[in-house]
Amino acid sequence: MTVDVTVVGGGISGFACARAVQDAGRSVRVIDRGRRPGGRLSSRTIDGRAVDLGASYFVVGDDARFARVVGDWEARGIARPWTDTFSAIDVDGGQTRKTGPVRWAAPAGSRALVLDLADGIDVESGRDVERVEAYRVDGEDAGEVVLAMPEPQARRLMAGIPVAPQEWEPVIAVVLRWDARRWPVDLHGAFVNGHPDVAFIADDGDRRGDGAPVLVVHTTGEAAQRWIDDPDAVIAPVAAATRRLLGIDAEPVAAHAHRWTFARPARTTGEPFFRSPGLSLCGDAWGDSAAVRTAWASGDALGRALAAS
């Protein structure tokens, strides 16, 4: 039996869409190539501990629907307020403290947010979709088809997809673990200005709340592009730069690199989603700013629109 909606892509946008469809009483399934849902909120177990490799945090913003979801996550211990204060570090290591909106994190890793949205949804994991068209996935009837993924990936599945090409920036996330914490307890996170390789540093033990001596460093887009075919090669220069920037006097005892070819859109469309008969797109490029809340809102809005049609 054909479902009403088939979502291809198991990140937060895809499951927000699926959840909205199912909550409205329509049938939906999600197809994802990963072994577990998560998308760019994926956490990977490294040395026996889940580490966030994708989005560093999320901000609630002024979306009342998303605020209710986050409030429920907080009540059940799935998400928690992390910090409203980050550092800005220049290339010489000088730091300035800056206060902004409250950043949120997930104690069990950001994948937990997606897994919670996926609860009770029909999911087919580990499947590589080869071809989509309106109302069809790999030649089979699929109801309304939603591509919840970056536009360049969507275009690989459908030649002539009816949206304008989008430019996306790569990032390599480098996990650095020490034998003990060797940086200030109030580091939280730091934007690095003017560095050729390092863009952001997150204290993952502080973010997760377990105090683990782990930093997750995101490269600049330019550095990721240079090392996109050999992400492990970026570990040494990023580790050295991180030590200089934070004044750490020891080498990390373990390191891991993860490549995100399509980490973030260079610009967003300003529209909440793309919709045409039988084929729609959603994600963090479909909104006013690239963010976790944008991805959720895009999927949720599209799911509600599909369910109402």
Side-chain angles (χ1 to χ4, degrees):
M1 178 178 177
T2 302
V3 295
D4 294 319
V5 178
T6 297
V7 178
V8 183
I12 191 168
S13 183
F15 278 106
C17 180
R19 173 61 56 197
V21 170
Q22 184 160 295
D23 286 352
R26 304 280 186 165
S27 59
V28 62
R29 66 169 174 164
V30 175
I31 301 173
D32 187 45
R33 68 181 181 179
R35 291 179 297 173
R36 299 178 67 203
R40 279 171 287 141
L41 289 187
S42 290
S43 310
R44 176 169 293 182
T45 300
I46 300 175
D47 298 331
R49 178 183 177 276
V51 179
D52 281 329
L53 299 174
S56 295
Y57 55 85
F58 69 91
V59 174
V60 176
D62 56 4
D63 186 320
R65 290 179 61 83
F66 187 51
R68 286 195 294 271
V69 171
V70 175
D72 180 59
W73 283 339
E74 182 182 18
R76 293 185 288 128
I78 296 171
R80 73 181 187 100
W82 174 24
T83 182
D84 65 354
T85 303
F86 280 164
S87 294
I89 303 179
D90 60 36
V91 292
D92 297 321
Q95 295 191 27
T96 303
R97 305 288 285 172
K98 293 191 175 182
T99 300
V102 174
R103 283 84 169 187
W104 289 69
S110 293
R111 187 195 298 272
L113 308 178
V114 181
L115 292 176
D116 185 65
L117 293 174
D119 186 40
I121 301 290
D122 180 15
V123 182
E124 182 180 356
S125 298
R127 174 180 169 184
D128 279 315
V129 171
E130 297 180 357
R131 177 171 54 89
V132 301
E133 53 193 304
Y135 302 109
R136 299 179 72 81
V137 172
D138 288 337
E140 299 179 351
D141 292 341
E144 291 277 355
V145 177
V146 173
L147 299 180
M149 62 186 66
E151 176 274 331
Q153 292 178 313
R155 197 168 294 278
R156 294 173 182 174
L157 302 181
M158 180 180 178
I161 195 167
V163 297
Q166 297 171 2
E167 181 182 353
W168 285 68
E169 298 176 352
V171 165
I172 298 175
V174 179
V175 180
L176 303 173
R177 181 173 65 83
W178 277 263
D179 56 354
R181 296 173 65 84
R182 298 173 180 270
W183 50 88
V185 295
D186 61 347
L187 172 67
H188 306 309
F191 294 103
V192 181
N193 299 317
H195 198 281
D197 298 333
V198 175
F200 184 76
I201 303 170
D203 182 339
D204 198 58
D206 182 67
R207 173 170 60 186
R208 293 276 311 283
D210 64 359
V214 175
L215 297 176
V216 178
V217 184
H218 285 190
T219 68
T220 61
E222 293 79 6
Q225 195 63 58
R226 289 199 306 273
W227 280 292
I228 198 71
D229 294 324
D230 186 14
D232 284 347
V234 82
I235 291 175
V238 164
T242 302
R243 288 182 58 201
R244 287 195 302 271
L245 290 167
L246 298 181
I248 298 174
D249 60 0
E251 293 283 350
V253 297
H256 173 86
H258 182 87
R259 172 181 58 205
W260 298 102
T261 304
F262 304 109
R264 55 180 173 246
R267 61 191 61 84
T268 54
T269 66
E271 301 295 327
F273 51 76
F274 169 81
R275 185 182 176 196
S276 65
L279 182 72
S280 302
L281 279 74
C282 62
D284 56 334
W286 297 95
D288 293 327
S289 61
V292 172
R293 66 181 183 277
T294 303
W296 180 91
S298 174
D300 177 68
L302 176 58
R304 288 185 286 118
L306 292 172
S309 65

